[in-house]
């Protein structure tokens, strides 16, 4: 059974780092950039050159642990950039945890290497909105390769006790969204670490993202976005893998099944029947998993400020 970290940095993977750890001297904003790679380096040099002109404190490029034969050349050409090579393949959330751990800035902008990057990424107006929002993550809007706006403002929905997410477009600034689409956005480091970051025991990127985001909302944080803050995809936007697997059920037990009693949260015993019936676990592993999550919830019971039904009702009433 994979364990859930009780603090942020318990399960960081091993890695190698190349490049300078110093902040860029002419930085303008207290933001570092974490660029994740999935495009085989087709636009890496172009993107790094543009990022260096955007006034960030530092730039961190997280590399593929197997496809990194060009890394030495990049490190020599861009000595201001830190290139991090995990020792093994890990989830996207674990990569962001790693980026947060080495980031010395107050904020970390997470992007992918297949975004169209245009100057300026951050303006004084966007920076003001990020600070004033007080959010754990401030997200951008996206357009696809056909210049159509992508539906990235996510709303929670419950019907007949079934939880789902409805994608919509951003219509105005400082709109709330359930989670940062594609993991992209400006994360506030202290808030991120205070909720434990991404759960590395959840291996599905989609359920890992929902777990972090809904846990943040249930624990009193918020995720906001702005129409001024935007990126475009060089190709089509990614499609989330929403396969119902063991990652989903861990997410479900930690978030959707939680109930609030007065001032603390708990995982009702009766939930075990539904969990066991629908999961892939046989009885004993299911009971072990359920007891483990119930213990974790009890340990964090005073962190929860609301439950998913109330969060959804209040969301839909506004």
């Amino acid at each position: 059974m994979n364990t859930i970290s009780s603090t942020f940095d318990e399960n960081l993977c091993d890695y190698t780092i190349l490049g300078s750890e110093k902040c860029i001297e002419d930085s303008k904003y207290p933001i570092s950039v974490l660029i994740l790679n999935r495009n085989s380096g087709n636009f890496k040099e172009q993107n790094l050159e543009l990022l260096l002109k955007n006034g960030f404190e530092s730039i961190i490029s997280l590399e593929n642990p197997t496809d990194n034969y060009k890394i030495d050349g990049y490190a020599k050409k861009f000595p201001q950039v830190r290139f991090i090579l995990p020792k093994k393949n890990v989830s996207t959330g674990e990569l962001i945890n790693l980026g947060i751990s080495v980031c010395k800035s107050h904020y970390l902008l997470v992007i992918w290497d297949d975004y169209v990057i245009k100057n300026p990424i951050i303006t004084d107006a966007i920076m003001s909105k990020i600070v004033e929002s007080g959010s754990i993550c401030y997200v951008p809007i996206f357009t696809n390769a056909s210049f159509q706006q992508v539906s990235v403002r996510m709303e929670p929905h419950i019907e007949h006790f079934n939880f789902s997410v409805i994608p919509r477009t951003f219509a105005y600034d400082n709109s709330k969204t359930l989670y940062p689409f594609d993991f992209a956005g400006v994360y506030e480091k202290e808030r991120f670490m205070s909720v434990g970051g991404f759960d590395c025991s959840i291996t599905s990127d989609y359920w890992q993202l929902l777990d972090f985001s809904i846990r943040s909302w249930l624990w009193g944080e918020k995720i906001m976005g702005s129409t001024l803050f935007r990126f475009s995809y060089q190709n089509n936007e990614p499609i989330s893998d929403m396969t119902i697997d063991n990652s989903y059920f861990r997410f479900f037990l930690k978030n959707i099944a939680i109930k609030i009693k007065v001032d603390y949260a708990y995982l009702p015993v009766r939930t075990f029947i539904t969990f066991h019936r629908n999961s892939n676990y046989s009885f004993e592993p299911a009971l072990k998993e359920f007891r483990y999550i119930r213990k974790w919830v009890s340990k964090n019971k005073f962190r929860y400020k609301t439950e998913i039904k109330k969060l959804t009702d209040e969301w839909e009433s506004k």
Side-chain angles (χ1 to χ4, degrees), residues 138-303:
Y138 201 78
V139 306
I141 66 170
F142 287 91
T143 52
N144 58 25
S146 301
F147 305 104
Q148 298 172 320
Q149 187 172 336
V150 182
S151 297
V152 299
R153 181 173 65 85
M154 304 300 174
E155 294 186 355
H157 182 67
I158 294 178
E159 186 173 1
H160 304 304
F161 303 103
N162 294 316
F163 172 80
S164 61
V165 177
I166 300 175
R168 303 189 188 280
T169 57
F170 276 91
Y172 51 88
D173 278 342
N174 294 328
S175 298
K176 57 186 180 180
T177 182
L178 189 64
Y179 65 85
F181 182 79
D182 205 18
F183 290 85
V186 177
Y187 293 80
E188 208 263 41
K189 181 174 181 175
E190 290 185 8
R191 292 180 185 274
F192 181 91
M193 296 179 70
S194 73
V195 302
F198 288 96
D199 183 352
C200 300
S201 74
I202 296 177
T203 56
S204 159
D205 273 2
Y206 181 72
W207 299 120
Q208 186 183 62
L209 178 58
L210 255 67
D211 169 74
F212 163 79
S213 303
I214 295 179
R215 174 173 16 109
S216 296
W217 279 105
L218 298 183
W219 287 13
E221 299 293 346
K222 55 187 176 180
I223 301 169
M224 311 289 285
S226 171
T227 56
L228 297 179
F229 183 27
R230 58 180 61 209
F231 290 101
S232 299
Y233 285 100
Q234 292 169 349
N235 301 303
N236 293 326
E237 66 273 20
I239 298 174
S240 299
D241 182 357
M242 303 179 189
T243 301
I244 302 297
D245 55 11
N246 289 341
S247 286
Y248 164 78
F249 288 106
R250 180 161 282 201
F251 151 77
F252 171 81
L253 293 176
K254 290 175 62 185
N255 299 278
I256 308 304
I258 297 301
K259 298 297 180 184
I260 299 290
K261 186 175 183 179
V262 188
D263 61 347
Y264 67 91
Y266 68 102
L267 178 59
V269 174
R270 67 178 182 273
T271 308
F272 175 75
I273 299 173
T274 303
F275 162 62
H276 179 229
R277 184 174 62 242
N278 292 290
S279 73
N280 297 322
Y281 291 107
S282 58
F283 181 80
E284 288 189 6
L287 185 60
K288 184 177 181 180
E289 172 76 355
F290 186 82
R291 285 174 170 170
Y292 175 74
I293 300 298
R294 200 160 188 261
K295 184 178 180 181
W296 182 88
V297 171
S298 179
K299 183 176 182 179
N300 293 284
K301 62 184 178 181
F302 294 114
R303 299 294 304 273

Side-chain angles (χ1 to χ4, degrees), residues 56-111:
F56 298 116
E57 287 189 333
S58 66
I59 299 168
I60 304 163
S61 180
L62 270 165
E63 303 300 317
N64 187 313
T66 56
D67 183 19
N68 54 43
Y69 61 94
K70 295 182 179 178
I71 190 66
D72 288 333
Y74 289 139
K76 291 177 182 178
K77 185 169 184 178
F78 301 101
Q80 313 98 311
V81 177
R82 278 183 287 176
F83 297 90
I84 297 179
L85 291 80
K87 295 293 181 67
K88 61 179 181 178
N89 286 312
V90 294
S91 65
T92 300
E94 191 167 354
L95 291 175
I96 296 174
N97 286 355
L98 180 56
I100 285 280
S101 72
V102 302
C103 165
K104 297 179 180 179
S105 301
H106 190 73
Y107 297 98
L108 181 70
L109 168 61
V110 174
I111 59 175

